[in-house]
């Protein structure tokens, strides 16, 4: 039995289909990302699970119970938002304890539990501070502690890292993964950032225009994309001519040709970007006009690699 | 240039001070100096000051009655206006943003409809269907609630805009709070400053309103003061000054509370960005 299951959930706003026959099952303790561009329906799916939006059709199963008509405050879903959403008038400890207070947990037990949760996100010394007195990353960790304090059935995360700086983002991301593993809490993570989804998820559900394009492990989604959309959205990819068709090849699977005559494709370099471990070379194919990116390891780079020069590329043998 | 600028700014301040303080000083001399008005001059600036006139007025049972009428009406007006406007403004922000323009337009009606038209229209209607309504002092409450709508709506509107309302409500609900609980434990505490502002502005509007009270023949404080200017002019002006001082003190207190609140709720830190 799954921890959380969407069965044929559909939702439209006016004429726009935000979600069509959305079906997915989350196993107990699993972390599943909903990944897709803006307007793909991922946030709608999450908000339907939380009870903030009503689905037009379909069922949401929590264990074996259909909760689709249960109001949000009776669902016991822990939710974390992009915009921190700590209550500005309560200090950090009272924020974490809010859900317990609402559920009628007595004062002492509530305080103890709040301290435990703050300890869990390593912020136990900030309990007396007000939300505006701590940083964005800390606020988001408090929001996690608050959502987890009531032992929710499922943790729902709506772009929780999007408002954070790059470095803090990685810290909070790792924190989310650690909490998910340590507490075994089933987690649904909404993001438009493929790197985030790849690094945190057990499974990724790639969405576009309200439908699921592919669900699978990060490795699966990256290496065996089910549709052209998935191939293009997750990682970068080149579309190269081969005979009468086109093949999709990731930049890291292309190599520079050592001998001119053996090159499968030839093109003119339009740009090179040095990234440290590798250099990204952009070129336009001679006969095709399509632009292609190649990732070349620095040992491969010689004086012939410069803007305007002609080079040959091949598919790497795996 | 800088020196000249400094002189100009000082001059402006001096002019402003004369503009505001001179009438107040004249009022104070008239109200509190027992010297015939015609002989008030700079020689007798410090002579024969007394608050007898004010004390006479303060002891007047008519004054106490009108004060109590005004305070009661103000209190109920504040209750009515908050009861009407808080849910309306929240509703507009949470569920019906498209209606915000309509609501805003409705709230500025008192600027468009002059009080005389309002009173004539309403009293004409009620005299025939419910004459008892206009007989009570509390019949002023609905009129004053209408007058206070613009201030109340704007004050609440600004307070709500500073909050990420939607997310706060969602967060509280996901933590198990019912709608009533969200209102009491999350929304009202965060709107405290707006509520105080709205209540205070409503209060001052009611305490100063003359036209409607006079048209409906109610014995409110402004009505009493207008009448007392004929019978006990020194006392009436003294009372005017006293009210001015008291409201200034109240305003200062409110702005202190406001300052304290705005440092504890830092709007800058509330991110309202959302990627759907």
């Amino acid at each position: 039995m799954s921890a959380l299951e969407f069965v044929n959930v559909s939702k439209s706003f006016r004429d726009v289909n935000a979600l069509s026959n959305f079906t997915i099952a989350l196993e107990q303790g699993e972390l599943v990302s909903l990944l897709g561009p803006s307007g793909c329906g991922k946030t709608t799916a999450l908000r339907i699970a939380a009870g903030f939006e009503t689905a037009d059709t379909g069922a949401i199963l929590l264990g074996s119970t259909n909760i689709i008509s249960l109001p949000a405050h009776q669902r016991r879903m822990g939710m974390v938002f992009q915009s921190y959403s700590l209550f500005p008038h309560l200090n950090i400890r009272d924020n974490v304890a809010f859900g317990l207070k609402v559920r009628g947990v007595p004062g002492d037990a509530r305080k103890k539990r709040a301290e435990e949760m703050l300890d869990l996100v390593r912020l136990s010394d900030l309990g007396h501070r007000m939300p505006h007195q701590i940083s964005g990353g800390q606020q988001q960790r408090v929001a996690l502690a608050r959502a987890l304090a009531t032992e929710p059935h499922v943790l729902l995360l709506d772009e929780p890292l999007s408002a954070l700086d790059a470095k803090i983002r990685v810290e909070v991301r790792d924190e989310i993964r650690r909490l998910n593993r340590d507490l075994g809490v089933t987690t649904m993570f909404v993001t438009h950032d493929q790197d985030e989804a790849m690094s945190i998820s057990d499974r990724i559900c790639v969405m576009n225009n309200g439908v699921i394009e592919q669900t699978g492990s990060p490795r699966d989604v990256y290496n065996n994309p089910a549709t052209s959309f998935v191939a293009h959205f997750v990682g970068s990819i080149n579309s190269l001519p081969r005979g009468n068709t086109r093949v999709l090849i990731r930049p890291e699977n292309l190599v520079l040709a050592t001998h001119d005559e053996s090159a499968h494709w030839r093109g003119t370099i339009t740009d090179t970007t040095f990234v440290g471990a590798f250099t990204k070379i952009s070129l336009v194919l001679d006969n095709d006009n399509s632009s292609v990116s190649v990732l070349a390891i620095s040992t491969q780079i010689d004086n012939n690699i410069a803007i305007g020069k002609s080079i040959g590329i091949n598919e790497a043998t795996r | 240039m800088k020196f000249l600028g400094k002189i100009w700014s000082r001059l402006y301040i001096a002019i402003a001070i004369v503009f505001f303080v001179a009438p107040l000083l004249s009022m104070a001399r008239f109200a509190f100096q027992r010297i015939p008005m015609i002989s008030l001059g700079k020689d007798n600036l410090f002579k024969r000051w007394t608050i007898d006139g004010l004390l006479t007025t303060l002891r007047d049972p008519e004054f106490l009655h009108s004060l109590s009428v005004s305070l009661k009406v103000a209190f109920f007006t504040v209750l009515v206006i908050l009861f009407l406007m808080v849910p309306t403004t929240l509703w507009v922000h949470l569920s019906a943003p498209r209606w915000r323009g309509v609501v805003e337009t409705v709230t500025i009606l008192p600027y468009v409809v002059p009080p005389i038209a309002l009173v004539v229209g309403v009293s004409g209607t009620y005299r025939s269907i419910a004459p008892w309504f206009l007989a009570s002092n509390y019949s002023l409450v609905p009129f004053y609630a209408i007058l206070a709508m613009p201030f109340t709506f704007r004050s609440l509107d600004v307070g709500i805009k500073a909050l990420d309302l939607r997310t706060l409500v969602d967060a509280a609900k996901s933590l198990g709070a019912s709608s009533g609980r969200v209102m009491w434990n999350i929304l009202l505490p965060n709107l405290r400053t707006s509520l105080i502002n709205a209540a205070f502005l409503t209060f001052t509007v009611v305490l100063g309103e003359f036209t409607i009270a006079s048209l409906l023949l109610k014995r409110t404080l402004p009505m009493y003061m207008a009448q007392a200017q004929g019978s006990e002019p020194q006392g009436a002006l003294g009372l005017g000054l006293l009210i001015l001082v008291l409201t200034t003190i109240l305003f200062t207190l409110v702005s202190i509370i406001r300052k304290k609140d705005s440092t504890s709720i830092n709007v800058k830190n509330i991110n309202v960005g959302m990627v759907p």
Side-chain angles (χ1 to χ4, degrees):
Chain A
M1 192 169 56
S2 325
L4 175 70
E5 193 172 351
F6 289 73
V7 186
N8 285 321
V9 176
S10 296
K11 168 82 180 174
S12 53
F13 295 103
R14 305 256 172 84
D15 314 330
V16 185
N17 275 335
L19 212 57
S20 314
N21 288 319
F22 184 75
T23 300
I24 190 174
L26 280 70
E27 299 306 318
Q28 178 60 45
E30 195 182 21
L31 196 160
V32 174
S33 293
L34 303 185
L35 173 68
S38 286
C40 73
K42 56 191 193 298
T43 296
T44 306
L46 194 83
R47 291 181 65 82
I48 288 174
F52 301 143
E53 304 279 357
T54 48
D56 298 337
T57 56
I60 307 263
L61 302 179
L62 205 60
S64 54
T65 327
N66 186 2
I67 57 162
I68 198 90
S69 51
L70 214 59
H73 69 277
Q74 291 172 11
R75 290 196 182 189
R76 290 196 60 183
M77 299 279 185
M79 180 111 181
V80 175
F81 303 82
Q82 179 185 345
S83 51
Y84 316 144
S85 73
L86 297 186
F87 305 129
H89 66 298
L90 298 178
N91 69 20
I92 299 307
R93 193 198 299 119
D94 291 345
N95 258 284
V96 176
F98 182 82
L100 303 165
K101 189 179 175 189
V102 169
R103 291 203 161 74
V105 176
D108 285 347
R110 201 159 74 207
K111 197 177 155 190
K112 190 161 164 276
R113 174 80 179 147
E115 298 288 357
E116 277 171 23
M117 294 313 295
L118 283 174
D119 218 30
L120 196 65
V121 294
R122 286 168 289 199
L123 291 174
S124 41
D125 46 343
L126 296 183
H128 58 282
R129 298 261 190 101
M130 297 305 282
H132 74 271
Q133 294 172 318
I134 63 176
S135 73
Q138 289 170 333
Q139 288 195 48
Q140 208 55 309
R141 278 150 71 197
V142 173
L144 276 167
R146 183 179 68 176
L148 290 167
T150 51
E151 297 180 332
H153 298 301
V154 181
L155 183 61
L156 303 172
L157 309 172
D158 186 9
E159 305 249 3
L161 309 176
S162 299
L164 303 174
D165 299 340
K167 200 178 163 205
I168 307 295
R169 190 178 298 184
V170 174
E171 271 177 41
V172 178
R173 187 190 76 196
D174 294 345
E175 189 89 48
I176 292 172
R177 189 51 163 160
R178 187 178 63 82
L179 290 170
N180 161 256
R181 286 207 177 110
D182 290 359
L183 304 176
V185 57
T186 312
T187 306
M188 194 170 209
F189 182 93
V190 160
T191 180
H192 63 271
D193 183 324
Q194 42 133 338
D195 291 336
E196 236 169 71
M198 299 284 278
S199 52
I200 204 176
S201 316
D202 292 315
R203 276 191 302 153
I204 298 177
C205 169
V206 186
M207 299 177 66
N208 190 31
N209 290 328
V211 293
I212 297 177
E213 296 270 336
Q214 183 176 7
T215 307
S217 70
R219 211 173 280 269
D220 225 27
V221 168
Y222 189 80
N223 290 330
N224 305 306
T227 64
S228 156
F229 174 81
V230 175
H232 283 95
F233 193 78
V234 180
S236 48
I237 202 146
N238 301 305
S239 163
L240 293 150
R242 178 180 282 164
N244 292 326
T245 60
R246 302 190 78 85
V247 286
L248 297 175
I249 305 177
R250 300 226 180 256
E252 68 270 24
N253 294 331
L254 287 172
V255 290
L256 303 181
T258 41
H259 304 294
D260 287 355
E261 63 275 15
S262 67
H264 219 106
W265 298 280
R266 293 202 63 79
T268 310
I269 298 176
T270 55
D271 197 14
T272 65
T273 317
F274 175 64
V275 193
F278 55 84
T279 298
K280 188 176 156 195
I281 300 166
S282 305
L283 53 132
V284 175
L285 294 190
D286 288 344
N287 309 319
D288 194 60
N289 273 339
S290 58
S291 50
V292 171
S293 302
V294 181
L295 301 185
I297 301 167
S298 53
T299 52
Q300 292 174 294
I301 311 260
D302 57 31
N303 289 338
N304 287 325
I305 308 299
I307 293 172
K309 297 262 181 168
S310 172
I311 53 162
I313 50 173
N314 283 317
E315 189 175 358
T317 45
R318 282 195 228 178
Chain B
M1 271 318 278
K2 212 172 171 186
F3 175 71
L4 256 174
K6 222 171 188 177
I7 288 194
W8 273 116
S9 66
R10 293 255 164 93
L11 192 66
Y12 280 131
I13 291 171
I15 292 172
I17 287 175
V18 171
F19 185 80
F20 286 110
V21 174
L24 290 180
L25 190 68
S26 313
M27 224 171 131
R29 292 195 67 184
F30 176 80
F32 299 126
Q33 278 188 290
R34 185 155 299 162
I35 297 170
M37 194 166 58
I38 193 125
S39 48
L40 280 173
K42 58 181 180 212
D43 317 328
N44 48 20
L45 188 54
F46 299 104
K47 285 178 191 151
R48 307 191 64 182
W49 283 79
T50 168
I51 54 165
D52 283 354
L54 176 62
L55 287 180
T56 317
T57 304
L58 290 181
R59 282 194 209 102
D60 184 357
E62 266 294 295
F63 159 73
L64 292 175
H65 176 73
S66 67
L67 180 68
S68 102
V69 168
S70 274
L71 288 178
K72 280 182 204 156
V73 168
F75 176 75
F76 284 107
T77 307
V78 167
L79 283 191
V80 167
I81 193 77
L82 290 183
F83 188 75
L84 285 177
M85 292 311 282
V86 171
T88 309
T89 321
L90 286 173
W91 168 75
V92 161
H93 277 268
L94 278 175
S95 335
R98 281 179 303 151
W99 283 83
R100 197 181 159 275
V102 177
V103 172
E104 192 169 15
T105 312
V106 169
T107 61
I108 56 170
L109 274 183
Y111 288 126
V112 184
V113 182
I116 177 109
L118 189 68
V119 173
V120 170
V122 172
S123 63
T125 311
Y126 277 94
R127 265 195 195 106
S128 51
I129 60 167
W132 50 266
F133 168 69
L134 292 172
S136 157
N137 280 332
Y138 295 110
S139 63
L140 287 171
V141 170
F143 289 100
Y144 288 171
I146 290 172
L147 286 190
M149 274 196 316
F151 313 106
T152 320
F153 176 75
R154 251 158 215 77
S155 173
L156 291 170
D157 194 48
V158 167
I160 290 173
K161 271 185 187 157
L163 293 174
D164 184 359
L165 188 68
R166 170 92 269 160
T167 317
L168 288 184
V169 171
D170 285 351
K173 284 198 167 165
S174 76
L175 290 166
S178 61
S179 299
R181 193 108 202 192
V182 173
M183 186 84 167
W184 278 113
N185 292 16
I186 303 298
L187 297 182
L188 292 186
N190 279 304
L191 291 174
R192 198 175 60 130
T193 316
S194 297
L195 292 171
I196 292 173
N197 275 348
F200 186 66
L201 284 170
T202 305
F203 215 83
T204 47
V205 165
V206 175
L207 287 189
E209 206 288 331
F210 180 76
T211 319
I212 293 176
S214 135
L215 288 168
L216 289 177
L217 306 172
K218 302 298 178 214
R219 308 284 304 155
T220 60
L221 188 60
M223 284 283 282
Y224 171 81
M225 283 172 70
Q227 185 206 17
Q229 261 171 31
S231 57
E232 179 65 47
Q234 279 196 320
L237 274 185
L239 185 60
L241 264 181
L242 180 68
I243 290 174
L244 201 73
V245 170
L246 288 179
T247 32
T248 310
I249 292 173
L250 259 176
F251 253 120
T252 317
L253 285 179
V254 168
S255 68
I256 288 172
I257 294 173
R258 209 180 309 177
K259 246 187 200 154
K260 242 176 120 185
D261 264 27
S262 65
T263 48
S264 77
I265 298 172
N266 193 339
V267 177
K268 185 179 77 191
N269 270 330
I270 300 169
N271 187 326
V272 288
M274 274 262 288
V275 179

